[in-house]
Amino acid sequence: MHRLFLAVPFQSDRILKALQPAIQVLDQYKNELKPVKPSNFHITVQFLGTVSTEKKMLLIQDLGILENVYSKISIAVKGVGFFPHFNKARIIWAGIDGNKLLIQKIYNDVLRVTEKLGYKPDKKSFIPHLTLARVRNNKKLSESCKKELKIFADSLFLETHISEIQLVESYLESKGPRYVVVKNINFL
């Protein structure tokens, strides 16, 4: 069995440098937070969960229809926010700004491919973001941490572009998840 998701990758060195001010704040609160490794930063397009080898092979084949369909998309990594919301933060994220209509179209096209194989879309609305950290179990994010992170609510961290989607396999290990790219879906 394979634990799979579809994602937009980021170059870890560029994004790490750009997000450094926010990451420094997160690092001060490691007793409350579990930061995501910069090498694992991505926009999750769809989490597929545990998948059989047969379905994995069908996904690899069927996702090929999206190859070279889109041009590169200019985006900005902008702002820091909280899911589900500021007062009950469980996830700290950096927002994605830019051509939201095209990003939504890509998301919808991915769903059309995966729905044919029996996958259901997430019940929550698609909000493109980079997860920076998760609040540790049984912890509440301190007011001081929220206050320090709120400073970055409108910060422009990086202007870049999206040039591919990846089918990624996730291996859960004691030191954190390890990701292996199964298929690249390149843009024009």
Side-chain angles (χ1 to χ4, degrees):
M1 298 300 274
H2 310 272
R3 189 171 189 266
L4 300 176
F5 63 93
L6 287 145
V8 174
F10 281 84
Q11 291 179 326
S12 59
D13 55 338
R14 283 191 72 210
I15 197 73
L16 175 61
K17 184 177 179 185
L19 288 168
Q20 196 58 44
I23 290 170
Q24 286 175 337
V25 171
L26 295 172
D27 284 345
Q28 294 173 32
Y29 293 92
K30 283 189 177 178
N31 61 325
E32 299 174 32
L33 301 170
K34 185 172 183 180
V36 173
K37 292 179 191 173
S39 60
N40 286 349
F41 283 155
H42 63 272
I43 301 169
T44 300
V45 177
Q46 186 178 17
F47 181 74
L48 301 170
T50 304
V51 174
S52 69
T53 300
E54 180 184 346
K55 252 201 182 152
K56 175 182 169 181
M57 300 318 274
L58 288 171
L59 278 163
I60 291 168
Q61 176 185 323
D62 290 2
L63 288 166
I65 196 167
L66 301 176
E67 190 84 30
N68 296 316
V69 170
Y70 313 103
S71 296
K72 290 181 181 179
I73 304 169
S74 294
I75 63 160
V77 179
K78 183 178 178 189
V80 170
F82 308 87
F83 285 143
H85 54 78
F86 181 76
N87 290 323
K88 291 199 178 196
R90 301 303 310 152
I91 293 174
I92 293 99
W93 52 263
I96 303 298
D97 205 5
N99 191 335
K100 292 189 180 189
L101 288 176
L102 189 51
I103 294 169
Q104 186 68 43
K105 181 183 180 341
I106 293 168
Y107 171 74
N108 291 337
D109 289 349
V110 165
L111 289 183
R112 273 191 277 288
V113 170
T114 60
E115 281 178 331
K116 287 179 185 175
L117 294 171
Y119 295 98
K120 304 283 185 231
D122 197 331
K123 289 181 171 102
K124 299 177 216 156
S125 297
F126 176 62
I127 301 171
H129 67 279
L130 298 175
T131 298
L132 302 177
R134 289 177 173 77
V135 178
R136 291 187 181 277
N137 290 338
N138 304 318
K139 295 281 185 179
K140 184 178 178 192
L141 196 58
S142 66
E143 292 303 316
S144 60
C145 180
K146 288 191 282 189
K147 183 179 176 182
E148 285 191 61
L149 288 170
K150 201 172 180 182
I151 293 167
F152 302 109
D154 296 315
S155 296
L156 175 61
F157 294 108
L158 177 68
E159 291 179 318
T160 187
H161 62 272
I162 296 171
S163 60
E164 67 182 326
I165 303 169
Q166 296 176 334
L167 178 62
V168 180
E169 188 159 356
S170 174
Y171 298 92
L172 301 178
E173 299 175 346
S174 60
K175 59 186 175 201
R178 179 175 54 90
Y179 299 151
V180 175
V181 176
V182 175
K183 177 172 181 59
N184 285 313
I185 303 157
N186 296 307
F187 295 0
L188 293 170

